[in-house]
Structures are given as C-alpha cells and as structure tokens.
Amino acid sequence: MNRPSPIVRLLIAFASCVLAATAVARTENATPRYDAAHRVFRIDAGDVTYAMGVNADGFLQTLYWGARLAPDDPLGPAVPAAERSSFDPAGSLTPQEYAGWGGAMTATPALKLRLDDGNRDVVLRYDSYRIDKGTLSIRLRDAQAGVAVDLRYTADAATGVVGRSARIENTGAQALTIDAAAAATWNLPRGDYSLRYLTGTWAGEWHLQTRAVTPGATVLESRRGSTGDENNPWFAIGRGDAWNEEHGDVWFGALAWSGSWRIQVDEDILGQVRVTGGYNPFDFAYRLPPGQALETPVFYAGYTGQGIGAASRLLHRFERERVLPGGTAAKLRPVLYNSWEATEFKVDEAGQERLAEKAAALGVERFVVDDGWFGARDNDHAGLGDWVVNRRKFPNGLKPLIDKVHGLGMSFGLWVEPEMVNPDSDLYRAHPDWVLHFPGRQRSEGRHQLVLNLAREDVKAHVLAVLDGLLKDNDIQFLKWDYNRNWSEPGWPQMSPDEQQKVYVAYVRNLYDILRELRARHPGVEIESCSGGGARVDLGIMALTDEVWPSDNTDPSDRLSIQDGFSYAYAPATMMAWVTGSPNWVNARSSSLDFRFLSAMQGGLGIGANLLEWSPAEEATARNYVAAYKTIRATVQRGALYRLLSPQDRAPWSATESVAGDGKQAVLFAFQRQGEEARPFPTLRLRGLDEKARYRYRVIHGQVAAGTPDVASGAYWMQRGLDLVMKGDLQAAGVIFERTDAR
C-alpha cells in the first residue's frame, strides 16, 4: 500500500479539522441579520428563511417563513394590512409577531393583561433590538401602560428549527395581572391548509388526527396541570390536504412546557393562518408587581418542503442534538428489564435477585425495581410519599440487591413518584397542607393519591432532599419518574388570593429546578419521564430527562399505532418500548415472542414480562433478539426514520425503516396485524439509501420472497423494493441492510 507523504498527511489532518469544526458549527445557532434601511430582521438556518419587519404603525409583523431564499432577495418593507371595513380593522389583520390585546385588536392576542387601575389596553410597538451569540432579542413596548416584552429568537443552523419565547416585564409604577401569555405567534402565508395533531387517552395515546383549517379557531390544550395525553403540544400544518410522507410544504412546531398549555390555530377573513401557543389562559392569572417579569416557555417550529416525514426527521435531529441531555454525546439507551409485571407490589430481595439473574442471562443491561419497595407500600392505597426502604421486604436495605445487579454486569434503576402522596402516609399525616387544595373544600383523589404542591418552596426542598439522599445512599444509575394523576382543586392557600394562580407556572418551574439540580449533583444518573404512560411528554421535560414512556399499553399490536403517532413529534431515541407477557394484560390478545420483540425494537428496547415463567426456548429466543438489537440500536435510536406503511386507523400493516447517520446500515421492521383474502403484503420501497451504493440484506426474522437478490444497489431497494412473505395474523419481519462498499 502506498502511504501519503508527511506533507500530504498534514494537509489531510488539517482538512479533517476544518470539516470537524464545520460540523460543530452547524449545531450552533444561526446568526440573525438586521436591515436598518428597510427595518427588516432575517434569519437563515438550514433550508429555511424566517423574516419580519417593523411597519409604519410600529408593529413587528411576519414577512416570510418558508424555504430558504437567496441572500439578496428583497423582503421589506413591512406593510400593514389594509382595513377592509370598520368591522375588520388593520390591527387585527396584520400578521403581528406578538400582539397585545389593545387598540382595535379582535384577533387572538399573544398577551392579555390588566392593570390595577382598571386599564386592560396594551399596544405593543417596536422599541429596539440586540443580537448576542446567535440570539436575537427584540423589545416591544407600551410605555404608557408600563409594559415591555422581549421577544427571543434562536435558530438551529442544521435543521432550521426556530425557537421563540417572550419575557414580559412590568416597567410601570403599578402592579398588573397577566391573564394570557403566549410564547409566540407563528404566521403562515395565505393559502388552503390542513392541520395534523395528536390526541389520546390512557392506554390509547398518540392518535394522529387531520382536519381542514377553516375560518375560526381550532384549540389544542391541556387544563390538567401537566402536558396531558388528550392533546399533545405539537402541530403540523400543510398546504391543502395532499401533503404526505414525502411531498408537500409543512410547517410544524412543539411547545416546550410540561404544565397546562394551549395552542390555538386561527384562520382570519383573509385566509391568513396564525398559530398561537403558550400558557393555557384557563384559570390563569399571573400578578406582576413593578419591576418583575414573567418568562414564557419556548415554542419551537420549523418548515420543510419535503413532506411530513422530513418534518419528523428534522424535529428528531433537533431533539437529539439540541434538546436532550448530552446532545450528540448522549448514551444509547441500554436494554432494560423492569420487574413490575412479574411482581407488582410484592417485591422483595430474594425475588428481585432471581429476576436479575434471569435478565442478565438474556443480555439485559439495566435492571429496574418498580413500585412497592418503600414505606407501607403493599398496594396503591398507602405509602406514597414515604421514600424509605421497606425493611420487611429489604431487611438490609437496597445495597445487597444493588450489589447483586452490578455483579451481574447491569446498572440499577428504581421507580419513584415524588410529586404525589397517599393520604395514608407518614408524609401526609405530618403535612396535610402540602397538597394542592382549597381550604374547607373536598380533596379529590386519583389512584388514591393527592398532588404535592411543588410551587411551595418547602415542598420543593423536601422532594429534592429526599431524592438526593436516596441517590447518595444507594448506587443507583436510573430513576423511572412517574406521575399518575391530573391536578384537581389547584389551590395554594399559602399565598394571597391574587397570587394563587401563579401555581400553574411556579409548580412546573420548581419541577424543572429539582430535575436540573439532581442531574448536577448526580451526573451519572439517568431519568425517565413517565405519567401513566405518555401524559407528560414534551420538549420541556425532555430537556431534563433521558427517555420517556409513551404508554402503559404494551400490547405489541396497539403499540404499532402508539409508536407511529409518537414518532411524528418525538425521536425514537427517547421512546421506551417493552416486551411483556402474552396474553397481554390490556386486550387479552396473544402474540408470538417474535412479534413482541420486533414491535419493541423500534425504540429503546425493554423487557417487562415475568421471566420466571419463560421456557428455555423463550429465553433462547429472547437472547437472540437482545443480541441482534445491540447491533442495530444506534441506527434505530439515532438514525433517520422513514414511515413506509402507516398503522393508523387500525390499518392491517405497518412498516418503518431507520437509516444510520453514516449510511452504512438500514433496518426494516414490517408487521401484519391481520391477514385477509389472501392479500400479499405490500412491496416495501426503502428510503434514504445511497442510490449508487450496494447493500446486502440479512434477516432477523421473517421470510423474503423467492428470487430476492442477496446484494443490490440502493436504487434497486428504493425503486424495485423488497417483497416479504406474510400469512396469518400478528406476523412480523425484521431485515438489516448493510453497505458492501462502505466508505
């Protein structure tokens, strides 16, 4: 082999450094620009241009949001909308970036407030701007009302995702109360649109809905005190109703907030569409004395001209690189075992050790003890809030079990639900005032528990101290953080009546503080966000946790739809999926271990079945799947996801493909829920491959059609496609494609 000269090697090394620096730079914020002559702000990032300008009335209005434009393309000046009649004033028709409710405003405002003197009129006009380290801040003011709003804009250079938030400050001499505060309003150009969003319920989360955007309003929201699963704070809007996985202009967004929220989609009389999102104004009031401010959550949004599939991939990449803890350096999700299904509340040292031995023999990398290890916790009626080890179940504490688990080569995890308390607990008996409640009124229970008021600083300090002590005293690597009910009676008697509704903000801010502080004190500990399944999944909680639990429903057929819906908004890198027993507890549906494993391998793989009931043959099957998963998990968790066949609306088929970032591997999962009329499984045309490269396939499970070549070009697999042989109900296949000419 000819070796390059030292000079050539030096040049190659230099070029590699330049390329590496460029790659790092693409993960930084894009730098905005200001055209003073036309009073236009412009952000170019990824394949997107976002622009706004100050019009003659002093309002900041959206000029353009869409595919990236040439640097010298004109975008200003901003021109207010024409007044159509005395009933349609210009202020309501002009697409303002952040409108106050005041003047002749009749459209949905971003900010509504009232001053102590009775004034409720606030008109926000442009004041000034600054650009600092890629962040654009634009100040709007109503000097007479004594209100200033700082709008903050960031843009990810790699994906073009823009992040927006607002800081609302009382600059006047009297107190004011905020009745509604959005993080942002996103304005789309006039056109014909349809909206997609996610709905659900416990054990039935992540249903994709589509409806036309018509004159009037569509409201997505949670009033539950947490994110909720009835709606999720994500949206996608496309032109007309013809947009699909691969084609069409799509604007999409997700709100980073884990409390009550609202996203409202409005179409006005000119066909202009506004998306306004932030704190839910229902039962909301935030009092600001002079000199104080309220900061909103961040509302992220992006654009693509290549369909909803590309929108999901952009959002997935943004989440992996810019939202999740660790970013590109984050660890892959380990193969996990959770003991809940095997033992429920009947946990003890000997039983958990037997399960740990079984799990380790399968190749599991993390062992998690679920509910029942603490306090008087023999069922869900008692003990919640008393985070001390039950010495009847663990006579010597958790250390012997933890040592056993570590000795078997696995990390150790523990279930906690620190925001809740049973009335039958030592904590509640000592501090009945620590829960959300109205004095003298009922205290509604959910799952026999009440919600601790984390907005209180003493409650926050207690929860942090208890969890910190648990992690200090035990060698724990993982917490499954659960949250199993909605809010009710959200009173905060410790505060004056005009301050109590701050609870909606203060609670979530303190939750974030606890998570942030725990991670700082125990940087090796990873955390899963769980809320009776997927009722607290959003970009706010994801910034402080490593994975999420999308649903308590582990039926592998139901999970195809659940996981598909989840993938529209959130990255598979965050999604835990378990193999549990058969028949499944949700539907009493029986399925093969092959089907269950392949369904769960589309995310972070976990096992939750009772391993003591598995036969030697089942154990051998599981070992093979765990070993196979470890060879593909980087592609599944970090690769680009392509939804080839949708299982939505109880469709009989489902198929996904994940392509590794370096293009060397692709993984295909295919499922037939129900066979009918001898219909063959659809031909699967892969996506995301290099047309000119050569790919060899190998089968994890399933059967490919006779005559399928062992090796073919990327063009072949994407145009001719792959035929699978599937007959019967609940059939599955997994196929790995690897480049034979990998560079």
Side-chain angles (χ1 to χ4, degrees):
M1 178 184 295
N2 293 326
R3 294 180 59 82
S5 68
I7 293 177
V8 172
R9 291 201 301 272
L10 181 62
L11 290 172
I12 292 173
F14 175 76
S16 299
C17 290
V18 171
L19 288 172
T22 302
V24 171
R26 281 186 60 79
T27 66
E28 299 299 323
N29 290 338
T31 300
R33 292 181 290 146
Y34 178 58
D35 176 358
H38 297 98
R39 306 182 79 190
V40 169
F41 297 92
R42 173 169 172 163
I43 301 171
D44 293 297
D47 296 325
V48 176
T49 294
Y50 190 96
M52 57 211 144
V54 181
N55 66 30
D57 296 327
F59 295 126
L60 183 68
Q61 72 178 73
T62 308
L63 295 176
Y64 177 82
W65 180 28
R68 189 160 182 160
L69 303 178
D72 57 352
D73 280 339
L75 285 169
V79 178
E83 185 170 287
R84 294 186 72 252
S85 73
S86 60
F87 297 99
D88 305 311
S92 292
L93 298 177
T94 299
Q96 295 185 56
E97 284 283 290
Y98 200 89
W101 187 73
M105 184 70 176
T106 58
T108 301
L111 177 65
K112 185 179 185 299
L113 54 79
R114 50 196 157 95
L115 280 68
D116 277 3
D117 65 6
N119 175 50
R120 302 194 308 279
D121 181 74
V122 58
V123 179
L124 298 173
R125 289 187 167 89
Y126 173 77
D127 178 78
S128 58
Y129 83 95
R130 63 186 177 87
I131 298 173
D132 182 30
K133 297 179 181 177
T135 297
L136 169 65
S137 295
I138 299 176
R139 170 158 282 209
L140 309 180
R141 290 178 64 102
D142 184 327
Q144 183 179 359
V147 178
V149 178
D150 292 313
L151 305 182
R152 294 173 180 170
Y153 297 78
T154 61
D156 179 40
T159 62
V161 171
V162 175
R164 292 183 54 189
S165 62
R167 180 180 182 272
I168 304 153
E169 182 180 358
N170 183 351
T171 60
Q174 61 177 308
L176 61 83
T177 300
I178 299 172
D179 292 319
T185 294
W186 304 96
N187 294 291
L188 276 64
R190 289 191 293 272
D192 178 30
Y193 294 103
S194 56
L195 167 70
R196 291 183 185 171
Y197 56 102
L198 294 163
T199 65
T201 183
W202 176 80
E205 300 91 338
W206 310 106
H207 291 281
L208 184 68
Q209 309 291 345
T210 302
R211 66 167 61 182
V213 176
T214 58
T218 298
V219 177
L220 312 175
E221 66 175 350
S222 169
R223 300 181 179 184
R224 300 167 182 260
S226 63
T227 317
D229 47 25
E230 188 174 18
N231 295 150
N232 187 266
W234 167 89
F235 75 90
I237 296 177
R239 293 189 190 275
D241 57 5
W243 49 298
N244 57 28
E245 283 291 315
E246 299 181 30
H247 303 289
D249 293 324
V250 180
W251 291 262
F252 57 92
L255 183 66
W257 185 242
S258 307
S260 295
W261 59 272
R262 185 177 73 174
I263 294 175
Q264 182 164 320
V265 181
D266 294 285
E267 180 183 317
D268 66 17
I269 59 172
L270 299 181
Q272 298 173 138
V273 173
R274 295 182 174 97
V275 182
T276 303
Y279 298 124
N280 195 323
F282 178 82
D283 195 42
F284 181 87
Y286 199 96
R287 188 165 176 78
L288 281 184
Q292 292 193 12
L294 171 65
E295 297 209 19
T296 73
V298 180
F299 198 174
Y300 295 102
Y303 162 83
T304 179
Q306 299 175 13
I308 189 66
S312 295
R313 289 187 288 276
L314 286 171
L315 199 48
H316 294 172
R317 180 178 177 182
F318 178 75
E319 291 160 359
R320 293 194 310 268
E321 296 181 356
R322 303 302 302 273
V323 176
L324 292 171
T328 55
K331 299 176 183 177
L332 291 168
R333 296 292 84 217
V335 179
L336 174 150
Y337 178 77
N338 182 288
S339 66
W340 172 254
E341 190 167 295
T343 61
E344 295 190 352
F345 294 102
K346 297 177 182 179
V347 298
D348 59 41
E349 184 176 314
Q352 296 297 300
E353 286 187 352
R354 286 194 298 273
L355 287 167
E357 290 170 353
K358 289 281 191 180
L362 300 179
V364 166
E365 298 159 310
R366 172 167 289 161
F367 183 86
V368 181
V369 178
D370 210 280
D371 200 350
W373 59 268
F374 56 92
R377 191 70 167 172
D378 294 323
N379 52 51
D380 62 6
H381 292 250
L384 199 61
D386 300 336
W387 301 106
V388 293
V389 178
N390 185 313
R391 293 288 174 156
R392 175 171 51 84
K393 300 178 180 182
F394 298 92
N396 300 301
L398 293 173
K399 188 176 188 305
L401 174 60
I402 293 174
D403 289 346
K404 173 77 171 183
V405 168
H406 289 164
L408 291 168
M410 298 182 292
S411 60
F412 182 81
L414 204 60
W415 179 94
V416 293
E417 192 175 0
E419 300 163 71
M420 303 287 170
V421 64
N422 286 129
D424 186 2
S425 67
D426 293 340
L427 179 65
Y428 186 78
R429 284 184 281 270
H431 299 285
D433 57 322
W434 277 12
V435 300
L436 293 171
H437 71 285
F438 294 115
R441 303 289 295 176
Q442 65 184 1
R443 301 186 180 191
S444 301
E445 296 181 20
R447 202 185 181 224
H448 315 292
Q449 61 196 51
L450 300 169
V451 182
L452 289 172
N453 184 3
L454 283 193
R456 291 177 57 132
E457 291 301 313
D458 50 359
V459 176
K460 172 187 174 182
H462 170 79
V463 170
L464 176 59
V466 166
L467 294 174
D468 183 43
L470 184 66
L471 295 175
K472 282 181 178 177
D473 296 342
N474 299 279
D475 192 4
I476 296 170
Q477 289 72 51
F478 174 79
L479 292 177
K480 183 178 176 70
W481 186 304
D482 215 339
Y483 177 97
N484 276 314
R485 61 157 295 179
N486 300 314
W487 286 19
S488 59
E489 300 94 35
W492 188 1
Q494 184 187 27
M495 305 294 285
S496 62
D498 60 359
E499 297 274 355
Q500 287 197 26
Q501 286 164 292
K502 286 185 175 180
V503 68
Y504 289 101
V505 176
Y507 182 107
V508 179
R509 296 293 186 202
N510 281 353
L511 168 65
Y512 289 168
D513 285 347
I514 292 169
L515 288 166
R516 193 176 293 112
E517 184 62 23
L518 279 178
R519 299 191 72 96
R521 296 183 189 182
H522 307 278
V525 174
E526 298 173 13
I527 302 173
E528 176 182 287
S529 173
C530 174
S531 178
R536 190 156 69 185
V537 177
D538 58 81
L539 295 188
I541 204 73
M542 280 184 167
L544 295 163
T545 58
D546 302 272
E547 63 190 46
V548 297
W549 182 235
S551 179
D552 282 348
N553 186 346
T554 57
D555 179 292
S557 178
D558 285 356
R559 266 296 182 124
L560 297 178
S561 297
I562 288 168
Q563 293 170 181
D564 177 83
F566 179 96
S567 75
Y568 281 88
Y570 303 110
T574 67
M575 182 182 72
M576 290 305 297
W578 291 1
V579 176
T580 56
S582 179
N584 188 271
W585 67 274
V586 176
N587 298 316
R589 179 186 286 129
S590 296
S591 58
S592 69
L593 198 54
D594 299 298
F595 191 92
R596 282 176 274 157
F597 260 101
L598 290 168
S599 175
M601 287 165 67
Q602 295 175 97
L605 176 63
I607 301 174
N610 186 352
L611 301 182
L612 302 179
E613 297 178 348
W614 278 9
S615 67
E618 289 173 314
E619 291 175 352
T621 297
R623 276 194 298 274
N624 289 336
Y625 277 113
V626 169
Y629 178 75
K630 291 176 182 178
T631 70
I632 62 172
R633 69 171 149 192
T635 298
V636 170
Q637 295 180 23
R638 294 177 177 169
L641 176 68
Y642 295 83
R643 294 179 290 260
L644 304 183
L645 291 175
S646 172
Q648 294 290 323
D649 300 321
R650 297 178 174 84
W653 299 307
S654 175
T656 65
E657 176 200 2
S658 298
V659 181
D662 62 8
K664 294 180 180 180
Q665 185 184 74
V667 184
L668 173 69
F669 295 101
F671 304 88
Q672 179 165 284
R673 285 168 160 167
Q674 184 176 348
E676 291 181 346
E677 300 175 347
R679 294 164 66 193
F681 195 84
T683 297
L684 296 175
R685 294 174 178 84
L686 275 61
R687 293 291 177 260
L689 304 181
D690 183 335
E691 291 186 352
K692 297 180 180 179
R694 307 282 291 175
Y695 295 85
R696 180 186 300 275
Y697 79 86
R698 57 186 174 92
V699 176
I700 303 174
H701 176 76
Q703 181 182 352
V704 302
T708 302
D710 294 333
V711 180
S713 69
Y716 178 92
W717 298 120
M718 291 191 292
Q719 300 304 323
R720 165 58 183 85
L722 177 71
D723 287 313
L724 296 169
V725 179
M726 287 199 200
K727 291 187 177 182
D729 297 341
L730 300 182
Q731 299 297 307
V735 184
I736 302 172
F737 294 81
E738 291 173 319
R739 285 184 61 157
T740 61
D741 60 340
R743 294 187 290 269

